[in-house]
Amino acid sequence: MAHAAPAPGRMPRPGRTPEVEGRAAPRRTPDVFDARTHAIARIAVPIALGLIYGYWVAANNRAGGPITGWNLLLGFVSALVFAVVSMALLALAPRMPRELHALLWSGFAGVAFGFLYSQSDESVWRAVAMSLVVAATTFLVFFYRYYTREDAFGIRVR
């Protein structure tokens, strides 16, 4: 099997970046997909997750009983709301400061989980308590993620 020969000249050592104007060139993760694929994924992924969520809500609501028209309506409306809110968060949340960014996503996760949990036959208080635990945990994880990947001015650092 033939391999390309290295170009003549000084080659950088493995694990090092070539220098640009006396400083190391910034490392970026490779972008495997083009811009069109990313644009389609920003719409397709929330819709797919919304359909999964809607099915899950409808399944919890019927609790093993027969599928009814109201059950289907609940599933599709839940899927639509989940997809629309997640698309809105994908568009708006990155423009927010890291605290609000984490708070928006944790609120979404808490409300989504709380509604899903409330469709089972548990009490409302248990659903509220569980959704608050999920929202608080999500906030801690996301705040840590955004805090460690942004500078003091909110600019993302790779």
Side-chain angles (χ1 to χ4, degrees), residues 60-96:
N60 278 359
N61 182 268
R62 69 184 176 93
I67 298 173
T68 63
W70 291 112
N71 187 254
L72 287 173
L73 181 66
L74 174 67
F76 282 117
V77 168
S78 300
L80 179 69
V81 170
F82 186 93
V84 167
V85 171
S86 63
M87 279 189 252
L89 280 177
L90 283 172
L92 297 177
R95 298 180 184 146
M96 304 294 171

Side-chain angles (χ1 to χ4, degrees), residues 19-112:
E19 291 192 12
V20 177
E21 297 178 8
R23 58 185 181 158
R27 286 190 182 198
R28 293 194 65 210
T29 55
D31 194 6
V32 179
F33 302 111
D34 63 347
R36 181 175 175 263
T37 306
H38 285 285
I40 291 171
R42 287 186 74 80
I43 295 172
V45 170
I47 289 174
L49 290 176
L51 288 172
I52 292 168
Y53 181 80
Y55 172 75
W56 201 349
V57 166
N60 278 359
N61 182 268
R62 69 184 176 93
I67 298 173
T68 63
W70 291 112
N71 187 254
L72 287 173
L73 181 66
L74 174 67
F76 282 117
V77 168
S78 300
L80 179 69
V81 170
F82 186 93
V84 167
V85 171
S86 63
M87 279 189 252
L89 280 177
L90 283 172
L92 297 177
R95 298 180 184 146
M96 304 294 171
R98 65 179 145 226
E99 297 85 6
L100 188 56
H101 192 172
L103 188 64
L104 287 172
W105 278 112
S106 62
F108 175 67
V111 168

